[in-house]
Amino acid sequence: MAEHQDNFSNKTRHSKQERVDTFTTLNSGATEEIVISHPWSPDKIEQLKPLLVAMARENWAKFEEDESTGEQCIDANFDEALCDVTELALESNGFDQNLDDLHKLRALMIQIARDLHFEEVAQHVSQYSRDDLKQYGLRYAYEKSTYRKTAKALKKEGKYALLVEACFVAVHALFWNGVPIPEGVKDRYDLSYNAGPAASDFPKPARQLALYNLVEDLIQIVVENLDLQRGNNKSRDLRTLLGIFAYAAHHEQSIEDYHQSAQHSFDLSSAFSATTIRDHIDDLNRWKVGDMFDDINQALLEYIIESGVVSRPLMISYDLTDIQSLGLSEYESRFLTEDGRWRFASLSFTDPAIEYSFGLRLLKSEAPRARELENFLRDLTSMVEVELFMADRGFDGAEDIKACRKFVPGHWVICAQDDSDPQGQSSDFSRLRAELEPGKTAVRPSAGYANLKPPVKLIGYSGADEDDESPGPIRAFYSGISLPDDEDEREEEITTINFRYNQRGKIETMFRMAKNQFDLSTDTDKSIRKAFYFQMSVLLYNLYKIVQTVPAPRSGVELDTTPSELLEVVQNLAFDGPTAPDALTYHRGHY
């Protein structure tokens, strides 16, 4: 909820309600108390436009289409209301003028708001009766030359621009207080009760403010969980660490070289040096790096879920990806350790309304796979109810299935690997294939895992047409989902599971973008440092995806940004904005 403290509300008439003190923002899930208040300026209005639109919606009630609320009545009500707030709008914008001319200034406000020529404003005012003019505070219907002379005098004094700004404020005040606005005026000032939640519906300042609000929330979450265990250099601001990596990714350079170019744009007096960053990272144990980013990503995941943007209960996919499998030759030796490859755990929401994948954790080999899966499911189910959990090939071990049964009983599927032996030896997959008809589904009630009770089902789906000779392509799942007894309903359920599994493809794009858009290069051969850098790349990707998905916390607008813009905003916030470098300051003072 937002609270509105507005001096204009006591001066506007012809609105449905006399005053609205609180209203619901475009972000209905926002818990932060928001207060917007007088005085107003055009810049402030532009920045807060989404909040003002939300307030206007609650104040506005569509008038019944009858003779008393026709176009002529709306015009008269608007003109009167505009005259009512003219003096306050002028004061709000620092307009110091003899009040003896206030009646002429009211007429000029009508002219500016309606975009009229002087002849047209004279005709417009003349339509009102003597009593109306007195009530509106216009006194008389002057000739066009009177309004022209008044405007010319204001321009000579340098005050006409202030009058235009005051009119901007006044029109918006009438809008958010529920006064009917003529269509021509709404078009001129881009006023709409239906604007949003897309950020593109609002002025650029409103979009930028929403973007900075959201990214600041995310930076605070990251910094709260960012622990370098530093015993010294505590004077260095920890949030600058994120800014350094964002700067390096934005400018496609190593963090070892960031200071040389960043010093021309930012005050780096509280920022880490590249040498200090390396020292702190090298002091970390490998498990500490993993745990630290686990904490960060879990907190970010919780932020996404609590935002309400993802449908509940959740449908979610989980995957492990070989770093080497991305086709990136430069990674061929980086993530090879004494006992095998490193893999990355990730998830995507299979909500068809959003496109979202999220990086979780870098793992060394497959040894901790089931343990990490269990930890992940424990954390996830503590936050939210899960309707469907889907895991990719490779999670078909007995311990993986036990973890699914423990935390998401009856709501899990694991994509089965095709273990059909080319020599014709029997397997559960080959037996399922033999039973599967083209375009149909099949179920094997007990598939391997003789030591697991109850038995594990293997369900299959044929992607072929029913008149094809072969059932391929085939997809099979180990499943804990209870299937209907009716054959048609069972086939529909399995088909739905396969369709939802198709949504997990969002995961595949994550690693390409993390590498191509958020790459953090390093020339070191130290695995811990490489792991930290890679995790940081994925973290920047995660921040980008959150900004693309979650509404801004205050205004509730939905943002559409680019990787480059996101990195620029992160570095601006982390370094407390661009600033004049010391050399430029000295130059200005001494040359």
Side-chain angles (χ1 to χ4, degrees):
M1 294 294 290
E3 180 181 347
H4 177 222
Q5 300 172 356
D6 181 20
N7 293 2
F8 284 101
S9 60
N10 294 324
K11 294 184 175 292
T12 54
R13 289 174 279 181
H14 310 297
S15 59
K16 178 75 173 180
Q17 303 172 24
E18 293 183 359
R19 184 183 181 92
V20 170
D21 292 320
T22 60
F23 62 95
T24 303
T25 69
L26 297 181
N27 184 6
S28 58
T31 57
E32 181 182 359
E33 292 295 330
I34 302 169
V35 178
I36 56 176
S37 61
H38 196 85
W40 295 100
S41 66
D43 289 344
K44 182 177 179 180
I45 288 173
E46 292 278 81
Q47 290 177 343
L48 299 182
K49 193 75 170 281
L51 294 175
L52 302 179
V53 168
M55 182 167 59
R57 288 179 182 177
E58 294 202 18
N59 266 328
W60 167 252
K62 187 176 181 180
F63 283 41
E64 295 181 2
E65 296 295 337
D66 57 27
E67 294 181 0
S68 64
T69 58
E71 182 177 342
Q72 185 174 1
C73 185
I74 290 177
D75 281 340
N77 289 344
F78 172 78
D79 287 344
E80 182 179 6
L82 185 60
C83 290
D84 287 342
V85 301
T86 293
E87 185 174 357
L88 180 58
L90 292 172
E91 292 175 358
S92 297
N93 282 268
F95 187 98
D96 182 20
Q97 183 70 14
N98 189 339
L99 293 183
D100 291 340
D101 292 331
L102 186 58
H103 58 292
K104 297 177 184 177
L105 298 179
R106 289 188 175 113
L108 290 180
M109 291 273 271
I110 293 175
Q111 178 212 7
I112 295 168
R114 293 181 176 276
D115 194 22
L116 302 175
H117 296 296
F118 291 110
E119 181 176 353
E120 292 172 325
V121 73
Q123 293 174 352
H124 184 85
V125 172
S126 67
Q127 69 179 308
Y128 295 120
S129 67
R130 183 182 298 273
D131 290 339
D132 288 338
L133 293 173
K134 183 177 180 180
Q135 180 177 325
Y136 296 177
L138 292 171
R139 291 192 185 178
Y140 310 105
Y142 293 99
E143 296 294 329
K144 63 180 180 181
S145 59
T146 300
Y147 300 122
R148 181 183 291 112
K149 289 178 182 177
T150 303
K152 185 176 181 180
L154 291 174
K155 291 177 181 178
K156 186 176 182 180
E157 297 174 12
K159 293 182 177 180
Y160 188 78
L162 292 177
L163 181 68
V164 173
E165 292 180 359
C167 186
F168 183 95
V169 171
V171 170
H172 281 80
L174 301 186
F175 170 69
W176 71 62
N177 278 290
V179 175
I181 308 295
E183 290 300 321
V185 178
K186 285 197 289 187
D187 292 341
R188 176 167 170 75
Y189 289 92
D190 197 17
L191 301 175
S192 173
Y193 301 102
N194 299 317
S200 57
D201 288 354
F202 299 102
K204 185 177 180 180
R207 178 189 175 278
Q208 290 177 323
L209 180 61
L211 178 60
Y212 274 87
N213 286 161
L214 177 52
V215 176
E216 176 60 32
D217 269 11
L218 302 179
I219 289 177
Q220 290 183 19
I221 291 173
V222 173
V223 172
E224 286 172 3
N225 294 278
L226 193 60
D227 182 11
L228 293 184
Q229 294 183 316
R230 47 190 177 140
N232 52 22
N233 289 301
K234 291 186 177 181
S235 63
R236 302 300 178 178
D237 190 345
L238 196 55
R239 66 188 282 134
T240 65
L241 184 71
L242 189 60
I244 291 166
F245 280 100
Y247 184 90
H250 188 219
H251 294 273
E252 299 181 351
Q253 62 180 223
S254 169
I255 68 161
E256 283 84 354
D257 303 322
Y258 95 90
H259 194 280
Q260 183 174 357
S261 56
Q263 64 177 325
H264 298 291
S265 303
F266 301 99
D267 178 4
L268 303 179
S269 59
S270 64
F272 290 90
S273 68
T275 303
T276 301
I277 294 174
R278 291 196 302 269
D279 291 342
H280 286 319
I281 294 175
D282 292 344
D283 287 341
L284 297 174
N285 295 320
R286 185 175 297 159
W287 64 267
K288 181 60 182 178
V289 173
D291 284 353
M292 179 172 62
F293 282 97
D294 273 357
D295 292 342
I296 293 172
N297 290 323
Q298 182 179 337
L300 292 174
L301 180 59
E302 187 171 0
Y303 185 87
I304 301 163
I305 293 172
E306 290 182 350
S307 74
V309 70
V310 184
S311 299
R312 298 194 188 193
L314 289 187
M315 293 187 293
I316 203 163
S317 295
Y318 187 77
D319 194 10
L320 285 180
T321 302
D322 251 347
I323 299 300
Q324 290 176 270
S325 71
L326 307 179
L328 307 174
S329 59
E330 57 267 43
Y331 279 114
E332 287 183 359
S333 61
R334 290 189 184 183
F335 294 106
L336 286 178
T337 63
E338 65 274 10
D339 59 347
R341 293 187 294 257
W342 287 17
R343 314 191 77 188
F344 204 87
S346 56
L347 66 84
S348 68
F349 297 116
T350 57
D351 187 334
I354 64 173
E355 291 286 334
Y356 194 88
S357 57
F358 192 83
L360 289 174
R361 180 168 188 169
L362 189 64
L363 304 175
K364 186 181 71 172
S365 77
E366 296 187 21
R369 182 197 66 204
R371 183 178 70 250
E372 292 301 330
L373 173 61
E374 184 171 342
N375 291 337
F376 168 70
L377 289 175
R378 180 185 295 108
D379 293 337
L380 180 66
T381 53
S382 69
M383 290 187 281
V384 67
E385 181 184 354
V386 177
E387 177 182 342
L388 179 62
F389 175 77
M390 295 180 287
D392 197 20
R393 299 173 181 85
F395 288 95
D396 51 2
E399 296 303 316
D400 300 311
I401 293 175
K402 287 179 181 179
C404 291
R405 284 180 165 180
K406 180 178 180 180
F407 292 101
V408 283
H411 296 277
W412 61 272
V413 295
I414 297 174
C415 190
Q417 301 184 68
D418 185 351
D419 59 350
S420 301
D421 193 287
Q423 302 302 319
Q425 296 178 0
S426 63
S427 71
D428 292 310
F429 200 109
S430 60
R431 285 191 287 268
L432 180 75
R433 180 190 294 274
E435 298 174 8
L436 194 58
E437 298 179 8
K440 298 291 185 179
T441 63
V443 179
R444 289 199 59 79
S446 179
Y449 307 104
N451 58 330
L452 294 180
K453 302 297 180 182
V456 180
K457 293 191 297 290
L458 183 65
I459 61 177
Y461 171 84
S462 167
D465 293 330
E466 292 187 11
D467 55 355
D468 288 348
E469 295 182 1
S470 169
I474 292 173
R475 185 178 282 159
F477 304 94
Y478 296 107
S479 175
I481 297 175
S482 178
L483 297 174
D485 294 330
D486 181 81
E487 183 176 348
D488 291 339
E489 293 180 359
R490 183 169 61 248
E491 183 164 316
E492 182 179 356
E493 178 71 15
I494 296 174
T495 300
T496 299
I497 291 171
N498 181 73
F499 170 77
R500 288 175 172 172
Y501 184 81
N502 287 336
Q503 299 295 313
R504 66 163 294 285
K506 303 163 191 172
I507 288 177
E508 305 299 338
T509 62
M510 187 194 80
F511 295 99
R512 286 196 299 272
M513 180 169 285
K515 172 59 184 172
N516 296 332
Q517 303 292 336
F518 303 102
D519 181 42
L520 296 163
S521 59
T522 176
D523 55 5
T524 182
D525 59 356
K526 295 185 177 181
S527 60
I528 293 178
R529 199 180 299 174
K530 292 175 184 288
F532 189 97
Y533 282 29
F534 183 80
Q535 290 270 30
M536 189 62 76
S537 292
V538 175
L539 172 60
L540 292 172
Y541 165 86
N542 286 343
L543 298 183
Y544 166 74
K545 291 300 293 185
I546 294 173
V547 171
Q548 291 282 82
T549 308
V550 175
R554 292 171 58 87
S555 64
V557 300
E558 298 173 357
L559 294 155
D560 184 11
T561 187
T562 63
S564 178
E565 183 183 41
L566 182 278
L567 293 172
E568 185 175 2
V569 171
V570 170
Q571 66 190 28
N572 285 346
L573 286 169
F575 291 135
D576 197 25
T579 185
D582 292 339
L584 178 58
T585 302
Y586 186 87
H587 170 79
R588 288 172 174 172
H590 294 80
Y591 293 93

